[in-house]
Amino acid sequence: MFSAIDWILKQLAYYLSYAFTALIRAIVGIFGLNTSFLENERYKSAIDFFFYDTMKIFLMLTVIIFFVSIIRSFFPPERTKKLLGEGKARGFLGNVFAALLGIVTPFCSCSAVPVFIGFVEAGVPLGVTFSFLISSPMVNEVALVMLWGLFGWKIALLYIATGVIIAIIAGIVIGKLKMERYVEEYVYNIKMGDVEIETPTWKQRVNDAWNYVLEILKKIWPYVVGGIAIGGAMHGYAPEGWLTKYAGRNNPFAVFVAVLVGIPLYSNAAGILPIVSELTKGGMAMGTALAFMMAVTALSLPELIILRKVLKPRLLGVFVGIMAVTIICIGYLFNNILA
Amino acid sequence: MKIEILGSCCSNCEKLQRSTEEVVKEMSVAATVEKVSDMQKIMGYGVMRTPAIVVNGKVKAMGRVPGKDEIKKYIQDEV
């Protein structure tokens, strides 16, 4: 079935790029300019690539976000909180459990503060709370789709597994550091009320999932189209020797620099990944690319500003530091095992 | 009737507030629509996901923007 869909997409891309080229030819012709660049092989492959990838990514985004939201409707954070707060999973197991639940619990960065307070109030240990807070935004459906569509399912799975591992490690380290006093005092004074979790009907789940798909697409489509357009423009033009030299496996600083650059960038995973994908084709090492991607999704300036409402600067700094170090290590590890 | 919209930062909170105000106007019920961004109050309702809509102290929906027909029903239930 997938190959049939792929075939249809390729045909569509062919006709769309044909129509697009005809349009460009007509416009350029009006001004009496030279249209010979339209016969260029590089131009042809770039424009094909653009239409094909755009359609493929949007189709995948629609289908996968829809199903992920259906699955997520069974794991509201209230339930996750209860599971973790009852202390059925202590110590290491608690972190593992929290990181895994982070994948399936729906979470937007606006809810970071209430979720954090809710977990702490329910008696979830600080380290376990962090494992959840790290894996939840990092392992998200948009990153998953972009990685799957552009790099293949193996890299996408690797990204998820690594995200969970980083969340477990960082959570355990923060737990061991005993930093409870670096949480803002008011957090400990908040008493949470009880609310009945409404069990949605199937109709509601489908309805909500579809609304969520539209909401996400509306938010990220300019980045996806822009990213793929830039990626397409780079197609065949990326300076290969340069990339291999500076972003390849033999430059020990590449991962380090990639993570530092990735931290302030936010949520435009959708726009950045098509470009990163072209960079890897041009010689950027895969581990460096993944580390960059993780720094973009797991650490972002807006999220840090939100987290500052509940964390004192010291704990916030420790959080960023541990995450950066772990991501850099993972980047080096992958550069050495992924050929 | 007292309607509260819980939430602090998302554009979704504004969306929910706007459609609630519209529904109130359409139904011409005597109701106040108030935005609540104080964390203590939000958590006091047991809500961890924003936006949420509370009618007469009862949490009706959270973590999503309910449609106008749903909001209408929440209000009718409390009339």
Side-chain angles (χ1 to χ4, degrees), chain B residues 9-28:
Chain B
C9 74
C10 291
S11 59
N12 281 340
C13 304
E14 283 156 33
K15 216 189 287 170
L16 178 58
Q17 184 167 14
R18 234 176 304 143
S19 47
T20 306
E21 276 164 0
E22 280 166 25
V23 169
V24 167
K25 213 176 257 172
E26 281 166 25
M27 294 175 73
S28 54

Side-chain angles (χ1 to χ4, degrees), chain A residues 22-38:
Chain A
L23 185 70
I24 296 285
R25 197 188 307 270
I27 294 172
V28 175
I30 291 173
F31 296 101
L33 298 167
N34 191 350
T35 57
S36 63
F37 75 92
L38 295 172

Side-chain angles (χ1 to χ4, degrees), chain A residues 145-273:
Chain A
V145 170
M146 300 301 289
L147 283 166
W148 188 357
L150 297 166
F151 295 92
W153 62 270
K154 277 184 199 159
I155 297 289
L157 266 189
L158 192 66
Y159 175 83
I160 295 180
T162 319
V164 170
I165 291 168
I166 289 177
I168 294 170
I169 295 175
I172 289 175
V173 174
I174 290 172
K176 288 263 184 273
L177 290 175
K178 303 245 174 294
M179 300 199 72
E180 279 74 7
R181 67 205 146 101
Y182 296 107
V183 172
E184 292 289 351
E185 278 86 14
Y186 80 92
V187 170
Y188 295 115
N189 297 328
I190 287 182
K191 283 279 156 287
M192 229 185 132
D194 254 329
V195 70
E196 267 182 53
I197 309 172
E198 44 173 10
T199 317
T201 59
W202 267 101
K203 201 182 146 211
Q204 263 173 333
R205 287 184 213 275
V206 171
N207 201 17
D208 289 348
W210 184 239
N211 282 339
Y212 186 66
V213 169
L214 293 179
E215 189 188 312
I216 294 285
L217 287 183
K218 234 185 256 168
K219 204 161 64 186
I220 65 171
W221 76 264
Y223 300 107
V224 177
V225 175
I228 297 175
I230 296 172
M234 285 162 62
H235 204 61
Y237 291 91
E240 200 149 321
W242 188 88
L243 275 170
T244 312
K245 187 172 167 203
Y246 290 103
R249 299 203 297 170
N250 297 325
N251 180 359
F253 298 110
V255 176
F256 193 72
V257 173
V259 170
L260 284 191
V261 172
I263 291 175
L265 293 172
Y266 170 59
S267 97
N268 301 351
I272 281 166
L273 268 181

